[in-house]
Structure formats: C-alpha cells, structure tokens
Amino acid sequence: MPYAFVSHRLDCGGMDILSGLLDGPRADGAFLLRSVFEPPWSLRIRDRAPLSVVVVARGTAWVVPTDGGPIRLDRGDLVLVRGPAPYTVADDPQTPPQVFVEPGQVCTDASGRSLSAEMMLGLRTWGNATDGATTMVTGTYERASAVSERLLRALPETVVLRGDAWSSDLVTLLCTEMQRDVPGQEVFLDRLLDLVVLSAVRSWLNDQEDAAPGWYRAATDPVVGPALQALHLRVADPWTVGTLAAEVRVSRAVLARRFTSVVGEPPMSYLTSLRLALAADLLERTDRTLTSIAHEVGYASPFALSAAFSRERGVSPTAYRSRTRDRPPA
C-alpha cells in the first residue's frame, strides 16, 4: 500500500494485527461508482458482495439493512455493509425499489430490463440526474479473500461512521479521485479504497472496546499481544503451547488461560484458524501448489494441510480452489 496507518491500539512490536487481517482482501478491480440521484429513487442491492462502502458526498440517503431499522446518512457519513444479505439504499425508506443490483453489478428494473446504459452519466458516474440532490460514492469488494473472514465475522451487518464525529481526508480524496481519468487510476482507486476501509474499521473498533473481538482487545495485553505477534509473524513455525509460552516468557498454564480468556479460543485453535485462512487465501488468489502452500502456512505436507482444511471447512483444498475460481463474482 502507498501509505501506512498504524494504530497504537494494535501495534505489537512492529506487527499491526488489524492491518494484517485486512491485507488479504485487497481491492483488485473493485467496483467503484459515483451515484447521483434526484428523488424519488431506491436501489435494492442484491449483489452478495462480502463488503461494500457507501459515502454520502452531498445530500442525504437511507440504508435499510436486512436486520434492523433504517439508517439515515447525511453528508460526510460513511457506512460499511457486510454481505451477503441484501439491503436497500434510497431517498426515503418508504420509496419502492426502482433499480436492482445483482451479482456482477448487473443493474435492472423490476422486470429484469438492463438499466446500465441509460443510467450512465459519465466517468464512473451513474444515476437518474446529472445534478441530483444526492451524490454518493460506493466501493464494493466483489470477492473477499478468506483471510478476511475473522474480521468480517467481527463486524455487524452495518457499521456507521458519522461525518461530524469521524472524518478522514482519505474519504475526501476518494470522492475527488473518482472523477479523474489518468493512467493508473484504477489501481490507485483500489488502494485508496483499502485505506478508507482500514481507517473506518479502525475508528469503529476504537469506539467499540467492549464489543470489539478478542484478538483486537488482546493486542495491548502484555502476554497475549506478544503471543499474537509471534503467531502472525511466524505462522509456519512448529508452535506448541509450550514454545509459545517460552517465547513470551510465561508458563504454559498462564498463557493458555490468559489467551483463551482474552481472545475467546485457545492459542493452538487460533493458530489453526489463522493457518487455514491464509491457505484459503493462497488457494483463491494464486496458482501455487498445495505442497508450497502447506509449507508456507506451517503444515509438514500437503496431506496434513488437506486433512485439516477438509475437517474445518468441509471441503478439500482442491475443491475449494475450484469452487472459488469457477463461481461468478459474488
């Protein structure tokens, strides 16, 4: 990434756990769009994307999630929406959906007729009016790599950051850069979207100490923090509770008890989940052999990785790779 944001809440001797968790699902050709609408308007989002970001640059909008009540968004507000459940974005919660966004960002009306051409208003811009009352910028991760699963599970269906309580120059920059057409702009926007997500999630977690996941709260624990650092930095090492305890200079009993209490699972269970998430990410994003991936994430052989992967995920690594490669974008 072109910039580095390191939170003191997460920094463990140079190892930023949140950044590590977000590093896998980097935007790669993410769907980024500037939307301009004049009321009445309503979008039913059914794209099954794992994570979307909506920023209101002008006017107001409402987000209606599958669970929970309508959420009003004003200028400067940002919402993260965790999929794959559908949701609605509209000028008013009572406005019936007029546009349906399907997987692959296919846009249709209620009859299934494509609206893509008639609603395009220019570079990365669409809507029903060139100078409508509401302007939004939306960034969609159409496929998240598996290494982000631990983070996605920690997020509620919607995370709202209010512009008067949280602001980021990154959001302003994203809104501005959406309208630029220069060489390399798509890659630049992908990286900028990553940074907006990282900044937003970090801010939300800092305000949610009691509700934050165990691995986040553990980052500043004098025992568990260094243990997490060691596991993430050297995931392929032949760790046991004993060697990990020696690494952080406490007894096995103290480490096991404290790690489980703070993180919510034993250290070796956490390590297994971390290794398999990394393996799933490599299976989806690369063409590396199973032997290479096994050694990368700490398994002695492809057979050992395959057994652990199948046991936890219910599908073999080969079948997982085939399924994630063959499916259409979420």
Side-chain angles (χ1 to χ4, degrees), residues 118-243:
E118 65 184 76
M119 295 190 70
M120 287 305 298
L121 300 176
L123 178 67
R124 304 185 195 91
T125 302
W126 80 311
N128 64 7
T130 56
D131 191 29
T134 297
T135 300
M136 302 175 293
V137 171
T138 302
T140 301
Y141 290 81
E142 295 186 274
R143 180 179 296 172
S145 59
V147 76
S148 68
E149 289 178 1
R150 187 181 297 271
L151 176 63
L152 291 175
R153 287 198 304 266
L155 296 176
E157 186 177 357
T158 56
V159 170
V160 179
L161 298 176
R162 299 297 180 186
D164 58 357
W166 175 85
S167 62
S168 172
D169 292 339
L170 292 168
V171 171
T172 302
L173 182 60
L174 178 64
C175 293
T176 300
E177 291 292 332
M178 284 290 295
Q179 301 178 69
R180 296 190 67 202
D181 187 16
V182 295
Q185 189 67 355
E186 301 302 325
V187 175
F188 181 77
L189 288 171
D190 280 350
R191 299 288 75 77
L192 189 52
L193 177 61
D194 291 334
L195 291 170
V196 168
V197 170
L198 175 57
S199 179
V201 171
R202 187 184 64 177
S203 294
W204 178 77
L205 284 170
N206 278 334
D207 290 336
Q208 300 289 321
E209 294 217 4
D210 291 338
W215 52 258
Y216 180 82
R217 298 193 305 272
T220 54
D221 186 277
V223 172
V224 183
L228 284 170
Q229 175 193 3
L231 294 179
H232 279 259
L233 285 177
R234 290 150 45 202
V235 68
D237 280 16
W239 293 110
T240 64
V241 175
T243 59

Side-chain angles (χ1 to χ4, degrees), residues 64-330:
V64 185
T66 297
D67 297 322
I71 302 167
R72 179 186 169 108
L73 301 177
D74 295 303
R75 180 179 178 179
D77 292 349
L78 175 150
V79 60
L80 297 174
V81 183
R82 175 178 56 79
Y87 60 98
T88 298
V89 184
D91 69 307
D92 185 278
Q94 302 306 316
T95 302
Q98 304 154 345
V99 179
F100 297 82
V101 181
E102 308 292 351
Q105 304 306 318
V106 174
C107 300
T108 70
D109 63 14
S111 69
R113 180 177 63 92
S114 175
L115 297 174
S116 299
E118 65 184 76
M119 295 190 70
M120 287 305 298
L121 300 176
L123 178 67
R124 304 185 195 91
T125 302
W126 80 311
N128 64 7
T130 56
D131 191 29
T134 297
T135 300
M136 302 175 293
V137 171
T138 302
T140 301
Y141 290 81
E142 295 186 274
R143 180 179 296 172
S145 59
V147 76
S148 68
E149 289 178 1
R150 187 181 297 271
L151 176 63
L152 291 175
R153 287 198 304 266
L155 296 176
E157 186 177 357
T158 56
V159 170
V160 179
L161 298 176
R162 299 297 180 186
D164 58 357
W166 175 85
S167 62
S168 172
D169 292 339
L170 292 168
V171 171
T172 302
L173 182 60
L174 178 64
C175 293
T176 300
E177 291 292 332
M178 284 290 295
Q179 301 178 69
R180 296 190 67 202
D181 187 16
V182 295
Q185 189 67 355
E186 301 302 325
V187 175
F188 181 77
L189 288 171
D190 280 350
R191 299 288 75 77
L192 189 52
L193 177 61
D194 291 334
L195 291 170
V196 168
V197 170
L198 175 57
S199 179
V201 171
R202 187 184 64 177
S203 294
W204 178 77
L205 284 170
N206 278 334
D207 290 336
Q208 300 289 321
E209 294 217 4
D210 291 338
W215 52 258
Y216 180 82
R217 298 193 305 272
T220 54
D221 186 277
V223 172
V224 183
L228 284 170
Q229 175 193 3
L231 294 179
H232 279 259
L233 285 177
R234 290 150 45 202
V235 68
D237 280 16
W239 293 110
T240 64
V241 175
T243 59
L244 187 59
E247 178 80 15
V248 297
R249 299 180 181 179
V250 296
S251 70
R252 292 180 55 187
V254 167
L255 175 65
R257 181 174 62 251
R258 193 152 179 168
F259 195 105
T260 303
S261 173
V262 175
V263 178
E265 60 183 318
M268 294 302 101
S269 175
Y270 180 92
L271 176 60
T272 296
S273 296
L274 175 63
R275 284 172 168 172
L276 296 181
L278 290 168
D281 181 42
L282 291 170
L283 287 165
E284 182 174 345
R285 293 194 299 110
T286 75
D287 292 318
R288 292 173 57 176
T289 66
L290 194 57
T291 298
S292 173
I293 293 173
H295 293 161
E296 174 80 12
V297 302
Y299 286 91
S301 71
F303 307 105
L305 171 59
S306 183
F309 197 97
S310 300
R311 183 168 55 250
E312 180 159 311
R313 304 254 172 166
V315 62
S316 70
T318 301
Y320 177 85
R321 170 175 273 171
S322 177
R323 186 177 67 187
T324 56
R325 296 289 180 87
D326 291 344
R327 71 189 180 197

Side-chain angles (χ1 to χ4, degrees), residues 33-52:
L33 197 65
R34 180 173 173 265
S35 303
V36 185
F37 285 100
E38 185 69 24
W41 58 273
S42 179
L43 316 174
R44 183 61 172 167
I45 313 299
R46 305 188 297 202
D47 60 5
R48 299 188 59 79
L51 187 65
S52 294

